[in-house]
Amino acid sequence: MLNPQQQQAVTYVASPLLVLAGAGCGKTRVITEKMAHLVKSGICTADRIFAITFTNKAAKEMSERASKLVPGGEHIRISTFHALGLKMLQQEIRYSSYHAGFSILDASETQKIIKDLLPSGIKKEVVNQLQWQISGWKNAGLKPHETAAKVPMAVELYQNYLDHMLHINAMDFDDLILQSLWLLQQNQDVKSRWQNHIGYLMVDEYQDTNASQYQMLKALMGAGNHLTCVGDDDQSIYGWRGAQPENLQLLQQDFPSLKVQKLEQNYRSSSTILEAANAVVQHNPHPFEKKIWSDLGTGDAIQITAHESPEAESESIVTDIMFHHRVSQLPYSDFAILYRSNHQAKLFEQQLRSHNLPYHMSGGRSFFDYTEIKDMMAYLRLLVNPRDNAAFLRIINTPKRGIGLQSVKHITATAAKQGMTFLQAAQSPSVAAGLTPAVQKKLAGFCYTIKHHQKMSAKPNVIANSLFEQLDFINWVNINANNKVAKISKVKLVKDCLKWIDALSLNKASNLDELMNYLSLQSNNDEEETESGIRMMTLHAAKGLEFSQVYMVGVEEGILPHRNSIADDEDNGGQQGVEEERRLMYVGMTRAMKNLRISYIKKRKSRFGEEESGPKGPSRFLDEIPYELAAGHPGMKKSESEQKEQTKNNLDALIAMLKE
């Protein structure tokens, strides 16, 4: 049963619609119900509904809901912005400067390219900064001549980087949106074709769009009314990667007939938690006023606790979790520990391990970060894109085949001189003439393996299995592992990858191009939430999730708000950094369904015993929580001795109960 505001959002189609959906107010349900309404009322067929969201996981969940609720729901085009851009580029590649089968490079590979384009001796921090700047320009939809850079070298590097990526027929993740945007802007036929494809466009998490994504959305929409954007300006927490909450206002400017529908009834949290979260976020300016509320009852007061040290904080919280697990019979999966930065997790992890408690940390190592998987992907990339010089360099001597550094330098130098790709040069007589007969034979064997598998007309899993069997890849991984445990885990990784390719070949990829495109879009941000233990994650990673029992830790001035945000605001004479940190506080608070516990360290000490220059006691955001909603509010000062005595008594009581 939809509430009246949700019902209005579902049925309204007279003009473009912005649904301002507060935390826990049922936005995903509204999106899928609207899909059903569009189809059942004959406004739009399922195959002409396009829905865009921000993670593969969110797209998958939405697809599952839509296929159950909407007639023909399996035909709705639900994807991320990046996946939509990729699909567009695949279909329209002949109208771009790129060739079919382009590679998609990850951040570490593009960083190496940027480093190679710079003079030697540039520090890694500078390379990182330049990579970040180029990404920022791309997210803003800017061409090199449109940038206003204080450092001319950065603009020149941006142009050289774009030229180099075109030369090797490769894109980075930002390019999937930027190149498709430029294609829409430069080719009227492409733009018209895609506008005609789209019968109705829905955008989830709209507040997270950056400038190039917004321009892409505008180009796809044209002048019609067939648009619904769903978002929450109070949950815009990705400014550091280009997201612009002001896109909410731009929508109103660019679509003057825009209707705004608010969803304010929360179905997740107690009214105490919501009142406190509203009180905090109201200190930010709001172009659209809203106030979320709940009829789930008042609930318990928010617990705010001060600790003498990070060690005391982690010990107290883990003990508290054990206590509530035992006394209230709550499963460990009900508990979440949320922190501003990953480095805060270490002490909590140590405590959980020492008590042998089950836990899962989000943001762990991605499947695609392992060397063996990167090697396998590089082989498959080179089959699809023979221009991929980065892939060639990675695998020319993996597994070891006796092609040394000097031979590789000879190949790359010849390629540069003759305007060839590395793979072309490796097959040229001029390269062979400069190599020993033994190396010639090994290089010819490598090139034959690649060419043979490029020509195979078979399902992608058949090609992949043939390739890695011919390379004796599993045996090589086994032999090269350092110890027995590494052997087992590394061989399992390779076998798991081959099994995954088998599965994808059955239902998602009919050829190698499709397989590589699918694999390239996977990321470690889309973890399955099936773990049964205590969840540990950053506040950013927690967005969209909910837990019965939430612990927000290290809520201190300099950590939340982060000192970099405070410094940026001081340097620029603004408040944007702290405002985004306040929204991050709001996101953390609204993850809690029943109990919210917030903790901070009174004075952090550095490892040398002095007081740290960074975090300085309780966060300013704690002062914004009304006193009557929180127990232990830092604004309600107790004497030092009273606080110590109370903390000691609480901890002693918990430990005694757990020992019984």
Side-chain angles (χ1 to χ4, degrees), residues 101 141 158 178 212 223 277 490 555 644:
Y158 184 20
L178 185 73
S212 63
K490 286 175 182 288
V555 182
K644 281 183 180 176

Side-chain angles (χ1 to χ4, degrees), residues 163-280:
D163 293 343
H164 179 80
M165 294 290 273
L166 185 60
H167 175 67
I168 64 169
N169 201 34
M171 298 189 195
D172 59 29
F173 282 96
D174 295 328
D175 281 323
L176 296 178
I177 293 164
L178 185 73
Q179 297 294 340
S180 52
L181 169 63
W182 287 351
L183 195 53
L184 289 167
Q185 290 173 336
Q186 292 160 10
N187 191 305
Q188 185 58 45
D189 288 344
V190 171
K191 184 159 87 168
S192 298
R193 190 157 43 248
W194 277 83
Q195 286 179 351
N196 291 333
H197 275 331
I198 298 173
Y200 203 94
L201 181 62
M202 308 183 82
V203 184
D204 188 19
E205 303 288 7
Y206 175 74
Q207 77 283 347
D208 292 337
T209 53
N210 60 36
S212 63
Q213 288 163 340
Y214 178 63
Q215 289 173 47
M216 182 180 175
L217 182 157
K218 266 205 313 177
L220 289 170
M221 263 302 295
N225 291 323
H226 51 293
L227 173 69
T228 292
C229 294
V230 183
D232 181 5
D233 50 342
D234 288 330
Q235 294 188 75
S236 180
I237 57 173
Y238 294 110
W240 48 276
R241 67 181 190 201
Q244 300 183 156
E246 56 267 32
N247 283 355
L248 291 155
Q249 291 155 276
L250 278 178
L251 203 61
Q252 217 166 24
Q253 289 173 27
D254 294 331
F255 298 92
S257 61
L258 181 81
K259 175 181 169 64
V260 178
Q261 176 66 55
K262 299 174 188 176
L263 303 184
E264 296 172 299
Q265 183 174 358
N266 174 285
Y267 294 93
R268 174 189 299 156
S269 307
S270 69
S271 59
T272 295
I273 291 168
L274 294 182
E275 281 181 45
N278 280 328
V280 170

Side-chain angles (χ1 to χ4, degrees), residues 82 144 336 538:
H82 292 92
T538 63

Side-chain angles (χ1 to χ4, degrees), residues 71 186 212 316 364 474 552:
Q186 292 160 10
S212 63
S316 174
I474 289 178
M552 288 178 66

Side-chain angles (χ1 to χ4, degrees), residues 89 104 124 202 252 291 322 335 442 463 488 491 537 574 619 642 647 654:
L89 289 164
I104 302 168
K124 189 178 179 183
M202 308 183 82
Q252 217 166 24
K291 188 172 183 180
M322 291 165 67
F335 297 87
K442 287 162 183 168
I463 298 170
I488 294 168
V491 167
M537 66 188 75
S619 166
E642 282 179 321
T647 302
L654 288 174

Side-chain angles (χ1 to χ4, degrees), residues 4-43:
Q5 291 73 32
Q6 290 173 329
Q7 187 67 40
Q8 178 73 4
V10 164
T11 55
Y12 186 83
V13 291
S15 69
L17 177 68
L18 171 61
V19 181
L20 275 180
C25 291
K27 69 179 178 63
T28 308
R29 187 176 176 203
V30 163
I31 292 170
T32 50
E33 290 280 0
K34 184 152 197 167
M35 290 171 178
H37 173 73
L38 292 169
V39 174
K40 289 173 183 175
S41 60
I43 294 167

Side-chain angles (χ1 to χ4, degrees), residues 595-612:
N595 291 101
L596 174 61
R597 301 173 181 94
I598 301 173
S599 60
Y600 65 91
I601 313 304
K602 293 176 191 173
K603 286 182 183 176
R604 283 187 187 258
K605 299 284 193 294
S606 73
R607 56 194 174 130
F608 302 111
E610 306 100 12
E611 191 176 329
E612 279 190 3

Side-chain angles (χ1 to χ4, degrees), residues 566-583:
I566 299 169
D568 286 347
D569 283 352
E570 287 171 353
D571 291 344
N572 301 319
Q575 277 289 307
Q576 284 189 328
V578 168
E579 284 170 10
E580 179 156 318
E581 294 288 299
R582 186 178 281 111
R583 293 194 290 269

